[in-house]
Amino acid sequence: MDSFKAIVVKEQEDEVIYGVEQISEDQLSDGEVFIKVAYSSINYKDMLAVQKKGGVIRNYPMIPGIDLSGTVVQSADSRFQEGQEVIVTGFELGMSHTGGFAEYARVPADWVVALPESLSQRDAMVFGTAGFTAALSILALEQNGMDPKKDPKILVTGSNGGVGSIAVQMLAKIGYQNITALVRKDHQVDVAKSLGAHTVIFSDDLGELKKPLNKEKFDYVLDTVGGDVTSVLIPQLSYGGSMTTCGMAAGVELKATVLPFILRGVNLLGIDSVNVPIEKRPAIWAKMANDWNIAGTTLVDEISLEEVPGTIDAIKNGEHLGRTIVKC
């Protein structure tokens, strides 16, 4: 095979640098399935991957990109055939295993999910890791009692980001009526409402973490940012309520007491989208492809590999809205 394009992250002296290069197939990590990549997407984790001490990539050089959709070119595993359309998200992709920001990828067969018939390769990456994480979060909340028939009060933090924006749309599509979106800036209000939020509040409206128990404001919280936001919201959960948490844009420290847990019986549910067993993934993707499919109304930009650095900078500076997919 001739050379092909990929974004390569390198460690150079005391710096981490990255950009588009021409590489060969032998520079890809090992795996049974060789894929012509159609699309990848840009996530918060991809931004961290190209930062020094970002905690994502530990061995250089590396191709980032924690998800991809594409077509099987060659497979040494009988579960996948040449020409089959597939999705790969999570595991070690774009971390210790060459990832989706390339025209080709080679991955272990146990990481691969067949693309549902009702989902295009492009729409699969409109969802991408962000959509997969949003779906996992909603499933966890529903397993803990969230039901549109009960008209619960739901808060989505980081509602203009990748996971949050998809979560708001999915919740609205499912039939939830009482959705509040948390935003940081004035221009994000209209965006959140267009996605399906009925009420929009600002971070300053949450108050401060002064009391171990506060007024019960939300039955369920889908938290995507972590840190002080998570800490402030736990005491505001209703009796028996639940909160999922999946991100750390606002920090990794949690300040809490046991009182909300033992006096109100609330639940804090951690969401990991990286190591979800492969056997469970097709059912989740089937939901996104059918009843929860909001790909057609999602706020999305499509860019080339060469345009990735600009989007990475926007995420780093807190200026990124919605989803950005990469046509490889």
Side-chain angles (χ1 to χ4, degrees):
M1 171 183 287
D2 294 333
S3 63
F4 55 90
K5 290 192 298 184
I7 289 181
V8 181
V9 186
K10 296 179 177 178
E11 196 170 38
Q12 190 175 77
E13 297 178 354
D14 213 25
E15 298 271 291
V16 171
I17 61 172
Y18 71 103
V20 177
E21 296 184 10
Q22 291 290 132
I23 69 166
S24 57
E25 184 181 340
D26 60 7
Q27 291 173 261
L28 298 177
S29 299
D30 293 338
E32 298 82 25
V33 185
F34 189 54
I35 299 168
K36 174 68 178 78
V37 181
Y39 292 93
S40 184
S41 75
I42 301 185
N43 302 276
Y44 188 82
K45 194 171 184 178
D46 296 309
M47 181 276 290
L48 292 176
V50 299
Q51 309 302 316
K52 185 172 178 59
K53 297 182 179 178
V56 175
I57 295 175
R58 295 177 179 84
N59 300 308
Y60 300 91
M62 180 56 60
I63 298 170
I66 62 171
D67 51 28
L68 65 86
S69 63
T71 304
V72 175
V73 176
Q74 188 176 4
S75 176
D77 189 291
S78 61
R79 289 173 290 178
F80 303 101
Q81 293 79 42
E82 179 182 349
Q84 187 173 4
E85 295 180 314
V86 294
I87 309 165
V88 185
T89 66
F91 297 107
E92 291 298 312
L93 192 71
M95 298 173 63
S96 62
H97 191 104
T98 51
F101 291 172
E103 293 182 304
Y104 289 89
R106 186 165 50 219
V107 300
D110 285 341
W111 295 3
V112 181
V113 175
L115 183 76
E117 288 185 5
S118 51
L119 200 64
S120 70
Q121 292 183 14
R122 184 183 188 277
D123 286 351
M125 285 299 103
V126 171
F127 285 116
T129 294
F132 189 66
T133 305
L136 287 170
S137 301
I138 294 171
L139 283 169
L141 292 174
E142 290 195 332
Q143 287 166 0
N144 279 270
M146 189 173 75
D147 186 329
K149 295 177 183 176
K150 299 177 182 177
D151 193 27
K153 297 176 183 177
I154 304 170
L155 174 68
V156 179
T157 72
S159 63
N160 276 222
V163 178
S165 64
I166 291 180
V168 170
Q169 292 177 87
M170 281 185 177
L171 288 166
K173 172 98 174 182
I174 294 167
Y176 290 99
Q177 298 292 321
N178 203 340
I179 305 167
T180 298
L182 183 68
V183 301
R184 292 174 55 236
K185 300 176 182 178
D186 289 340
H187 71 269
Q188 297 174 334
V189 172
D190 290 341
V191 175
K193 288 183 177 179
S194 72
L195 296 172
H198 300 88
T199 306
V200 180
I201 62 174
F202 290 88
S203 300
D204 292 343
D205 299 330
L206 294 179
E208 298 179 8
L209 185 62
K210 292 182 177 179
K211 300 178 181 179
L213 288 175
N214 241 319
K215 183 180 178 181
E216 300 177 38
K217 293 183 180 178
F218 306 105
D219 301 313
Y220 299 95
V221 176
L222 195 155
D223 174 45
T224 72
V225 298
D228 286 347
V229 172
T230 310
S231 302
V232 169
L233 286 169
I234 291 173
Q236 299 181 29
L237 282 171
S238 301
Y239 186 89
S242 295
M243 176 193 301
T244 57
T245 186
C246 65
M248 57 182 186
V252 298
E253 291 189 7
L254 184 64
K255 303 166 188 173
T257 74
V258 298
L259 292 184
F261 301 97
I262 62 177
L263 296 181
R264 288 185 181 165
V266 304
N267 304 289
L268 182 61
L269 310 169
I271 301 299
D272 167 52
S273 64
V274 176
N275 293 304
V276 176
I278 193 66
E279 303 81 27
K280 295 184 178 181
R281 293 178 179 236
I284 297 166
W285 278 103
K287 277 187 172 293
M288 291 191 283
N290 296 291
D291 294 346
W292 294 9
N293 192 343
I294 47 78
T297 59
T298 297
L299 178 67
V300 59
D301 289 322
E302 181 176 319
I303 64 173
S304 65
L305 285 169
E306 288 80 4
E307 295 172 292
V308 165
T311 300
I312 292 287
D313 288 344
I315 294 175
K316 185 177 180 180
N317 296 328
E319 299 168 348
H320 185 251
L321 297 176
R323 294 285 290 145
T324 296
I325 59 173
V326 184
K327 190 167 188 350
C328 299

